[in-house]
């Protein structure tokens, strides 16, 4: 059994140099997206950047998934935008506090178990759709771009992919940023820089109480947006945590991640930041470059503040082309290319779920809508497959003997009609009937009603009916409904 000290070291400091470098890579991957998402939400870039700093710091301690990067995210920004446009930033901050409280309760009630209902096909679709959205978010930087921009993006990608063949001592994205910045400045190339994306913060975030009336009217305004922010944030964070689980072959506490995200969002809102959630692109960058512990998450937040405040003059001169090259790499590494090969080999329903998740997510630019669609289709297809496993076999008997029907499979709302249709009173013609259900299980009210319907219909046409083989769970359900066939 490992000691508390060794567990603490493994969770926080598996390799301090790699943790710091991986966190730095995640930070650079975070900057352009957070600024862009701030504009989507209709708030100043400082609101998104301060939120990202606070969320990263807090969730490094409270989260349930080491090495996971959480910050102001596009999915939350999309949900928050209508509230900001209609009522302003103060109401968004209040909604963030309420959303965080909901997430804390969600985790305390241990509802993270709901992730079990998200199939592998949906997770694959989620990852692939996110990779497509990350790449699509870079398109505005390419459309109408000058030759210098294209050249610097190409240089950045060359560094990112070729440098690891020579050495992995330093993460290639960091080298990409340094080299592209120096080359662009040395040659005096006309490149768009980070400063052109928006006003960067010039001071530390400050704690402040909410500036909205504490009334029922305020609650009515923020309740639904807060619920949407909470659910979207939980969904994306838990999906991201599952992706990291697979990448690192280590488990995580989904319930702790839910509550930890809630605490982080409450803190971010009180420091003037928008609510956030897990950032899969930046998290994948962190993990790909060695991040395994909480230190990488903590340093991503600390380094973000250092870059935004202390090193603002230098960071503002980093060409956007360097950041675009990093995000293109993140997009390519996030996409599950193996899923393209398995589309034909996998069951058609599973492939359809994956494709539907991707299609809806990309079409709506909404990760929650895509995952909800995938989960719904998974449930429908699973129900259809299980229903088809129900079989009713009629055995030949001696003349004058009872007709024997053996029922096997799962009897529930989707297969109940199949059970009823298997008994044709015209063929039975009043003969005694023995129904053996020892290989069947009755799950719900519809299943019990179907069995009673069969018995009543046969008796109505003169048959003596005997039902045997009910397992204990099915019998208990029937007795509880006071509908046991006699």
């Amino acid at each position: 059994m490992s000691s508390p000290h060794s567990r603490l070291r493994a969770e926080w400091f598996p390799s301090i140099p790699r943790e710091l470098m991986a966190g730095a890579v995640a930070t650079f991957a975070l900057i352009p997206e957070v600024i862009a998402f701030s504009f989507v939400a209709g708030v100043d870039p400082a609101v998104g950047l301060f939120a990202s700093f606070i969320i990263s710091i807090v969730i490094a301690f409270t989260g349930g998934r080491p090495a996971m990067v959480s910050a102001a995210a596009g999915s939350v920004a999309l949900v928050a935008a209508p509230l900001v446009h209609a009522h302003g930033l103060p109401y968004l901050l209040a909604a963030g506090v309420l959303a965080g409280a909901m997430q804390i309760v969600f985790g305390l009630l241990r509802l993270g178990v709901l992730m079990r209902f998200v199939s592998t096909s949906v997770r694959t679709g989620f990852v692939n759709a996110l990779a497509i959205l990350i790449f699509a978010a870079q398109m505005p930087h390419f459309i109408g771009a000058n030759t210098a921009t294209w050249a610097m993006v190409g240089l950045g990608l060359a560094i990112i992919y070729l440098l690891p063949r020579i050495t992995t001592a330093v993460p290639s994205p960091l080298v990409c940023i340094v080299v592209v910045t120096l080359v662009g400045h040395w040659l005096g190339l006309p490149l768009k820089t980070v400063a052109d994306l928006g006003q960067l913060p010039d001071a530390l975030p400050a704690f402040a109480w909410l500036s909205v009336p504490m009334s029922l009217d305020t609650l009515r305004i923020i309740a639904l947006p807060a619920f949407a922010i909470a659910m979207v944030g939980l969904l994306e964070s838990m999906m991201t945590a599952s992706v990291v689980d697979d990448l690192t072959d280590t488990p995580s506490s989904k319930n702790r991640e839910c509550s930890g995200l809630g605490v982080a969002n409450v803190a971010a809102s009180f420091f003037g930041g928008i609510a956030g959630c897990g950032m899969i692109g930046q998290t994948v960058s962190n993990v790909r470059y060695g991040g395994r512990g909480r230190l990488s998450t903590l340093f991503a937040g600390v380094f973000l503040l250092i870059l935004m405040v202390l090193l603002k003059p230098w960071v503002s001169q980093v060409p956007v082309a360097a950041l675009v090259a990093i995000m293109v790499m993140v997009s390519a590494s996030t996409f599950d290319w193996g899923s393209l090969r398995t589309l034909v080999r996998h069951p058609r329903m599973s492939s359809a779920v994956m494709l539907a998740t991707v299609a809806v997510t990309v079409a709506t630019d909404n990760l929650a809508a895509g995952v909800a669609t995938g989960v719904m289709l998974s449930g429908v297809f699973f129900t259809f497959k299980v229903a088809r496993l129900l079989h009713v076999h009629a055995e030949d008997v001696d003349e004058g003997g009872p007709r024997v029907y053996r029922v096997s499979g799962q009897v529930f709302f989707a297969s109940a009609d199949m059970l009823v249709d298997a008994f044709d009173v015209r063929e039975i013609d009043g003969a005694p009937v023995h129904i053996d259900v020892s290989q069947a299980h009755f799950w719900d009210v519809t299943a019990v009603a179907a069995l009673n319907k069969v018995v009543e219909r046969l008796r109505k046409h003169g048959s003596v009916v005997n039902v045997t083989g009910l397992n204990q769970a099915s019998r208990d359900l029937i007795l509880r409904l006071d509908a046991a066939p006699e």
Side-chain angles (χ1 to χ4, degrees):
M1 182 179 295
S2 59
S3 65
H5 176 74
S6 62
R7 288 197 301 270
L8 180 65
R9 180 178 177 81
E11 191 170 296
W12 273 93
F13 314 107
S15 173
I16 293 178
R18 296 299 296 180
E19 290 289 297
L20 297 180
M21 287 190 291
V25 171
T27 301
F28 277 109
L30 198 64
I31 294 170
E33 288 205 34
V34 169
I35 293 175
F37 295 155
S38 298
F39 283 114
V40 170
V43 298
D44 293 333
V47 175
L49 292 168
F50 283 158
S52 301
F53 161 67
I54 296 295
I55 292 171
S56 295
I57 297 298
V58 173
I59 209 163
F61 295 92
T62 63
R65 173 66 265 179
M68 182 168 148
V69 178
S70 297
S75 54
V76 174
L78 289 170
V79 175
L83 179 63
V84 176
H85 295 155
H87 300 282
L89 178 61
Y91 282 88
L92 174 61
L93 301 181
V97 172
L98 182 57
M102 292 179 182
Q103 291 166 338
I104 293 172
V105 172
F106 192 94
L108 293 177
L109 294 179
R110 308 186 68 80
L111 296 180
V113 70
L114 295 178
M115 271 300 297
R116 296 177 184 175
F117 294 94
V118 181
S119 66
T120 299
S121 298
V122 177
R123 295 182 189 184
T124 302
F126 170 85
V127 169
N128 289 346
L130 193 56
I132 294 172
L133 291 179
I134 291 173
F135 184 80
Q138 312 314 310
M139 288 299 99
H141 301 297
F142 287 111
I143 298 174
N146 55 32
T147 303
T149 298
W150 284 91
M152 289 300 99
V153 171
L155 174 62
L157 288 172
I159 293 171
I160 288 172
Y161 285 107
L162 296 179
L163 182 62
R165 299 186 180 185
I166 302 173
T167 178
T168 57
V170 180
S172 58
L174 285 181
V175 177
C176 163
I177 290 172
V178 173
V179 172
V180 171
T181 302
L182 292 176
V183 170
H185 181 73
W186 179 52
L187 297 178
L189 298 176
L191 298 173
K192 182 182 293 185
T193 65
V194 170
D196 298 321
L197 297 178
Q199 181 63 40
L200 299 178
D202 52 11
L204 295 175
F207 180 87
W209 291 107
L210 300 177
S211 59
V212 296
M214 298 299 170
S215 63
L216 288 177
D217 288 337
T218 298
L219 183 60
R220 278 193 291 267
I221 292 171
I222 68 173
L224 288 180
F227 180 77
I229 290 171
M231 293 302 104
V232 168
L234 288 172
L235 176 63
E236 190 161 352
S237 289
M238 287 192 288
M239 293 291 288
T240 302
S242 296
V243 170
V244 181
D245 292 350
D246 295 337
L247 288 174
T248 61
D249 295 323
T250 57
S252 61
S253 172
K254 302 298 188 298
N255 294 314
R256 180 178 173 183
E257 183 64 33
C258 295
S259 295
L261 178 63
V263 173
N265 280 333
V266 170
S269 298
F270 277 119
F271 277 89
I274 186 175
C277 62
M279 303 278 283
I280 191 167
Q282 288 69 23
T283 297
V284 169
S285 293
N286 186 37
V287 174
R288 296 286 188 201
Y289 287 93
R292 292 294 184 273
R294 295 181 182 274
L295 180 60
S296 60
T297 304
L298 177 66
F299 186 68
V302 173
F303 192 47
L304 176 64
L305 187 68
I306 293 173
L307 291 177
M308 292 299 96
V309 178
L310 300 182
L311 303 180
K312 176 183 173 181
W314 290 273
V315 174
S316 62
Q317 298 306 311
V318 173
V320 173
L323 304 181
V324 169
I326 293 175
M327 295 313 298
V328 170
M329 176 275 296
V330 169
S331 172
S333 61
T334 300
F335 194 90
D336 185 355
W337 298 100
S339 64
L340 298 179
R341 295 191 298 271
T342 57
L343 271 176
V344 179
R345 296 202 308 269
H346 283 178
R348 286 179 294 176
M349 290 184 180
S350 296
S351 296
V353 168
M354 192 273 281
L355 292 174
T357 303
V358 172
V360 173
T361 301
V362 173
T364 63
D365 200 23
N366 188 326
L367 293 167
V371 172
T373 300
V375 170
M376 181 185 68
L377 287 178
S378 294
V380 171
F381 290 158
F382 175 78
T383 299
F384 178 72
K385 287 188 288 187
V386 173
R388 292 177 61 186
L389 297 177
L390 179 70
H391 297 286
V392 180
H393 177 66
E395 296 185 355
D396 294 330
V397 295
D398 296 334
E399 185 176 352
R403 298 287 299 274
V404 178
Y405 289 84
R406 301 194 185 279
V407 183
S408 61
Q410 310 302 313
V411 189
F412 61 114
F413 64 89
S415 61
D417 286 344
M418 297 171 62
L419 176 67
V420 175
D421 294 342
F423 294 85
D424 191 338
V425 294
R426 294 170 298 180
E427 293 181 357
I428 297 173
D429 194 26
V433 175
H434 177 80
I435 304 176
D436 180 6
V437 295
S438 58
Q439 300 301 314
H441 187 89
F442 291 80
W443 286 98
D444 56 19
V445 175
T446 307
V448 174
L451 179 61
N452 279 283
K453 185 175 182 179
V454 169
V455 173
E456 292 171 3
R457 180 180 293 177
L458 292 172
R459 287 175 176 171
K460 181 179 178 181
H461 287 79
S463 296
V464 176
V465 184
N466 182 31
V467 179
T468 63
L470 281 169
N471 60 37
Q472 191 60 46
S474 299
R475 184 178 296 278
D476 290 344
L477 174 64
I478 292 172
L479 290 175
R480 188 162 67 249
L481 296 174
D482 195 24
E486 298 177 359

